[in-house]
Amino acid sequence: MTTNGNSGPAEPLLQIRGLRIEGQSQEIWQEIVKGIDLTLQRGEILGLIGESGAGKSTIGLAALAFARGGCRITGGEVIFDGEDLLKLPERRRRAYRGKRIAYVAQSAAAAFNPAHRLIDQYIETAVTHGVMSEKQARQEAVELYRQLQLPDPETFGQRYPHQVSGGQLQRAMVATAMACKPDLLVFDEPTTALDVTTQIEVLAAIKDTVRKYDTAAIYITHDLAVVAQLADRIMVLRYGELVEEGNTRELLENPRKSYTRKLLAVRGLRKDEERGETSLLTISNISAAYARSAMVLRDVSIRVPEGRTVAVVGESGSGKSTLARVITGLLPPLEGSISLRDQVLPATLSARNKDTLRRVQMIYQLPDTALNPRQRVRDIIGRPLQFYLGLTGRKRRERVKELLEMTELDERYLDRYPAELSGGQKQRVCIARALAAEPDLIICDEVTSALDQLVAEHVLRLLLRLQRELKVSYLFITHDLATVNAIADDVVVMCEGRIVEQGPKTEVFTPPHEDYTQILLDSVPEMDPDWLDRVLEERKTVPAA
Amino acid sequence: MNKVLVMVAQRIALGLLTLFVVSAIIFLAVELLPGDIATEILGQTATPETVAAIRRELGLDQPAYIRYFEWLLGVVQGDFGRSLATDREITELIGARLLNTLFLALVAAAVSVPLAIGLGVMAALYRNSTFDRSVNIFTLSAISMPEFFIAYMLILFFAVRIGWFPSLSKVDLDQPLFDRLYAVALPAVTLTLVIVAHIMRMTRATIINLMSSPFIEMATLKGLPPWRIVVRHALPNAWAPIVNVVVINLAYLISGVVVVEVVFVYPGLGQLMVDSVVKRDLPVVQACSLIFAATYIVLNLTADILSIVSNPRLLHPR
C-alpha cells in the first residue's frame, strides 16, 4: 500500500513537528497535545489510537490547521506538501481544507446540515474551490456513491440526511470528503457510533475507496482492532504524548509498552457462566408499540435467574431499550405479563407501589444526562436512600459513604458535582445510586458504550464483583459482544423486535448459530490486520448469506 | 406530507377557537365599561322615557348574551353593525382606515425585516467586532426609547428643522404611490426603529448558537468562506425562531401602531379606535379590537405553519 517505489526518499505529504496545543477548561489553559511529531507519506494510512483525552482528534484537526473553540495551537509546524499551514492566514488555509485535506467526522448525522440535500452538500466543496463545474460534480457524486455501494446512486443524493440510515450517511460523508479527490483524508472515529454489522460495511467502503484513489489518511479511533484493518502504521497516544509508534503488524505482535499491551488485551475479560435455578424476573409473551406506530416488541419471553446476568444483544432498532422501558413500567405492553419472583408487576408505572419500584433499578448509557448536574454526589446517592428506605441524617450519611466505597470511589467525591468527575466516575455514581435502593434487578442499558475501553473494563469488573457480593441480577443491554463475553451468563439475541436465539452464553456462541447471530459474531473486529479482508472474502464466496 | 397537513389543520382549528374566545372577551370587556351610550347620545338633560326609547331602538334592552350572539352572527357575515356616533356602516368606516394601517405596516415591514435580518447575520458573522457592538448599541438604544419620543424627535429634526418630510402624514387612496410613500416616511422609520432590535438580536443569537454545531465545523473544514457558512449553513436552520419573532413584530406593526398613528395624525385603524373610545362609540371599538386580535392570531398561525414547513424532517418524511 505504501508507495515507496520512487527513487530516493520522497518528500512526505504531511509532516507535523513539535505540535503543541492548549485547551481551556474552567478558565485555565492546559496543554493537551505536548510536542507531537508525525510523518505521513503519500498514499500511506496512519492510525492514531488512544483513549479520550489522548488528544488524537485535536491532532487530526490540526492537520487541517484547525483548532476547535476552546483550543489553540501554541507551537510546532504542520507542513503539508512543503508549506507550513500554521503560518498561513486563515483565508489561505481555506484553500487547503476540503480541497486537498478533507475531514470525515464521527457522527455523520450531526455533521451533515439537516436543511440541505446530500448532493448539495457534496457539490459545494468542489464548486466553491473551483475544482469543477456543478454538472461535473453531480456526475462524479453518482460515481462515488456507487463506489461506496450506496443504494440507488443516481438518486441517492436527492435525499435529506434524516432520510438515510446511519451507515449510509457515514458512507455518504466519505463520498463528500472525496469530492475534490484530496491528497489526505482525516477520519475521526468514523465507525464508533455504528453497530458492528454496519461498521464492517463502512470499514470495507473506506478501505476500498482509499485504495482506489491512493489517498493518504489519518485514521483516528480508540479501537485497536478497527485501526488494524486499515492502517499501515499506528501511533499510540496517551495524555497528548506519544506512547509508541510502529508498523501495524509489528505493533500488534510485539507491543513494547505496557499501555499498548493493555489496549491489546482489552477485550479479553470473560466470565464463566453459571446456571441459575430460581427465576427472579419472568417476561412472558410481551408485545409493545409506541403510540400509533408499528410493533416494536413482538412476543418476547425472557427469564432472568436470581444473581445472574442475562445479556440482551442486538443492533440499534432491535427493541432492546424498549424492552427496558416495558420492564420498568415506562411503556405499558400491549400484551403479555412481567413478574418478579411470583408477583405479577402492574403494567404501568403509576400502578406500582414504592417497594416494587425499589426492586427494579436502572443504569443508563450516558451518565452525563442521567445525573442531575445541579446535585452533589452526596444528594444523588442519598435521595433513593431517603425515598425508598427512609434513611435520614447520620444513617443516610454513613450509608452513602459505604456505597461509595462499594463502587470504589473515594470519600472526597461526596461534595462534588457530576461535572467535576470523569466519565468512569460518573458511571460509578450511577451504579451507587442504583444499589442504594437495594434492588433485586438492575437493568443496565449500554452502560459501558460511552466509556473508553480500559475504563469500561473496570466498570464491568466492578459490576461482576457487586453481583458476587450482593447476589443482584442484571439485565444487560448491549450491542457489544465483547461486553457480553465479559459479563453474561445467558444471552438473548434480538432483531427487529423479536428474539432470534436465546440460551446460555456458550451455547449461543458456539455453532451452529441462527443466521443473524452468525452475522453479528462475524462482524466483531479481531486484533488481526487480515480480519477484514478475510471476512469480506468469505462473504463473497458464500453468495448472499 | 399528510402529517404536515394534519398539523396545519390542527393549528387553524386552534386559531379559530382562540378567535371565538377573544371575541367573547372583547364583548364582555366593552360591556363592563362604565357609562351608558343612550345618556351619552342624548346628553345629561334627557328624560328617562327618551333614554328608554333610545335603548330599545339600539337593542340595548336585550340581555347581553343575546346581543353577543347577534353581534357575532353579523361579524361572521361581515356586518359589524352601525356606528353609534355617526350612524354609518362600520364596515364602510373601517375599510379605508384598515387599508391605510396595512399600507404603513407593509412599508415599515418591507424596510425593517430585511434590514434586521441582514444586520443580525452581519453581527453574527463579525461578532464582538466594533460593527457588532455599534449595531447592538444603536438598536438597543432605539428600542429603549418610547415610540412617541422617537416620533417627536424625528418630527423635530426631519420636519421642523430640515423640512424634508411632512410632520402630518395625510394620505388618501387616490394619491399616487410615491406621494403616499413620502407621506408615511417618518411613521415608517419610527416603527422600523422600534422593531429592528428584536429581530436583529434574535437572528444574531440564533446564528451564533448554531455556529457551534458539528455541521458548521464540517462546513469550515470543507474550506468554505465565512459568509457562505453563515448564510447557507446556519441561516436555513435558524428560520423557526426568526420567523416567530418577525411575526410578533409584524403583529405589532398593525395593532400596536395606535401611538404612532396619533402622533402623526395618520388616518389608520388605531386612530379610529382612539377616537371611538373618546366618543364611546362601542360597536366601532369592538370591531377594531376584533380586527387587531384576528391579526395577531392569523400572524402567529402563519409563524407556526412556517416553522412546521421549514423543518425538512416534516416536509420530507422518511
Side-chain angles (χ1 to χ4, degrees), chain B residues 72-115:
Chain B
L72 197 64
L73 204 68
V75 169
V76 172
Q77 295 164 345
D79 175 18
F80 284 94
R82 300 181 88 84
S83 157
L84 293 178
T86 58
D87 200 34
R88 284 168 62 192
E89 285 280 340
I90 293 180
T91 328
E92 188 188 319
L93 200 64
I94 284 178
R97 298 293 195 112
L98 183 60
L99 283 180
N100 284 339
T101 293
L102 287 178
F103 179 72
L104 176 57
L106 197 71
V107 173
V111 176
S112 58
V113 173
L115 180 73

Side-chain angles (χ1 to χ4, degrees), chain A residues 119 122-127 132-145 179:
Chain A
I119 188 78
Y122 173 96
I123 58 178
E124 75 171 340
T125 327
V127 174
M132 60 185 86
S133 69
E134 191 181 319
K135 197 172 159 226
Q136 196 188 346
R138 278 181 195 278
Q139 285 166 356
E140 289 199 4
V142 174
E143 207 175 295
L144 268 166
Y145 288 154

Side-chain angles (χ1 to χ4, degrees), chain B residues 201-236:
Chain B
R201 288 181 64 78
M202 179 58 97
T203 308
R204 179 182 180 275
T206 312
I207 289 181
I208 287 179
N209 195 15
L210 280 168
M211 290 308 274
S212 56
S213 327
F215 62 81
I216 296 291
E217 181 181 287
M218 194 68 217
T220 313
L221 293 173
K222 279 174 165 179
L224 305 180
W227 64 267
R228 191 183 163 91
I229 294 175
V230 168
V231 172
R232 181 151 169 86
H233 287 275
L235 200 55

